[in-house]
Amino acid sequence: MQQFSLKSSVVLMGYAGSGKSTVGRLLAQKLAIRHQDLDTFIEEKQQQSIADLFKNRGEIYFRKIENQMLAEVLSYDTPCVLSLGGGTPCYGNNAQLIANSQHLSFYLQTNVPTLVARLSKEIQQRPLLAAVEDLPTYIGQHLFEREHYYRTAKHIVSTTGKTPEEVADEIYRFLT
């Protein structure tokens, strides 16, 4: 069993709504280290929301910035819990950057019904879902396309039927 090293960060990946940010905050508290949400980091650096970046500059621009910001956060010496955006591992060389780093990556694997239930409540805040008419079909197809990238994580944690606290506890027990 691999032990958590103070030199390693924990990287959480998974589909939108899988709990990366919530679990990330809880896990960071347990480990007494900083939590960094990549989308929040991008918004702070770019001084605009992700939705506005998509609207004003387009997805290609966003993905380029996302790649640069991911590389920056992964290069930090101080460990943190890093919650990625749902698409982060699926673009450019992001999955490779994460896999080749010394950091411990976890895929928060979440089933389609759970994702639909969570995401249907926040469609307006998610630029890629705003125009979707059949959310279950879209998520199912999209998740199928992205699964390969998520599975590049060093570890997979099923979130089915678990609270964010239980998922954070499971990862914490693995690390300690």
Side-chain angles (χ1 to χ4, degrees):
M1 187 157 151
Q2 201 170 9
Q3 290 287 36
F4 180 72
S5 165
L6 293 177
K7 295 180 181 176
S8 297
S9 287
V10 176
V11 180
L12 302 179
M13 63 175 78
Y15 199 78
S18 63
K20 301 175 301 289
S21 296
T22 303
V23 169
R25 282 189 295 275
L26 293 167
L27 183 60
Q29 271 184 327
K30 290 178 168 300
L31 294 168
I33 61 175
R34 180 175 58 91
H35 173 252
Q36 181 64 67
D37 184 282
L38 186 62
D39 284 349
T40 302
F41 184 71
I42 292 168
E43 288 176 339
E44 290 168 357
K45 290 277 192 168
Q46 295 293 301
Q47 298 183 334
Q48 59 183 308
S49 71
I50 300 296
D52 285 344
L53 280 170
F54 268 80
K55 188 173 109 184
N56 300 331
R57 304 297 296 268
E59 186 175 5
I60 292 171
Y61 175 82
F62 170 76
R63 296 300 178 191
K64 180 181 174 189
I65 295 300
E66 179 182 53
N67 175 264
Q68 292 170 359
M69 300 292 107
L70 173 64
E72 182 177 328
V73 175
L74 290 175
S75 73
Y76 291 162
D77 290 331
T78 306
C80 70
V81 176
L82 174 62
S83 300
L84 302 180
T88 304
C90 309
Y91 293 92
N93 67 339
N94 292 345
Q96 205 171 12
L97 274 175
I98 298 160
N100 292 340
S101 74
Q102 80 276 14
H103 305 300
L104 297 172
S105 53
F106 290 84
Y107 167 29
L108 302 187
Q109 189 176 42
T110 308
N111 65 28
V112 173
T114 302
L115 294 171
V116 170
R118 291 176 183 170
L119 293 172
S120 62
K121 298 173 189 166
E122 49 186 69
I123 284 181
Q124 296 311 314
Q125 291 82 24
R126 298 191 179 264
L128 294 179
L129 297 178
V132 172
E133 290 182 27
D134 182 358
L135 196 59
T137 299
Y138 176 84
I139 290 173
Q141 291 173 342
H142 211 214
L143 184 58
F144 178 77
E145 293 167 2
R146 290 181 169 191
E147 185 84 12
H148 164 75
Y149 299 101
Y150 297 148
R151 287 187 170 275
T152 62
K154 293 177 174 99
H155 309 283
I156 298 173
V157 176
S158 172
T159 67
T160 303
K162 298 175 188 169
T163 66
E165 291 81 5
E166 290 169 329
V167 175
D169 286 345
E170 186 175 332
I171 296 169
Y172 179 79
R173 283 191 304 272
F174 176 83
L175 296 172
T176 56

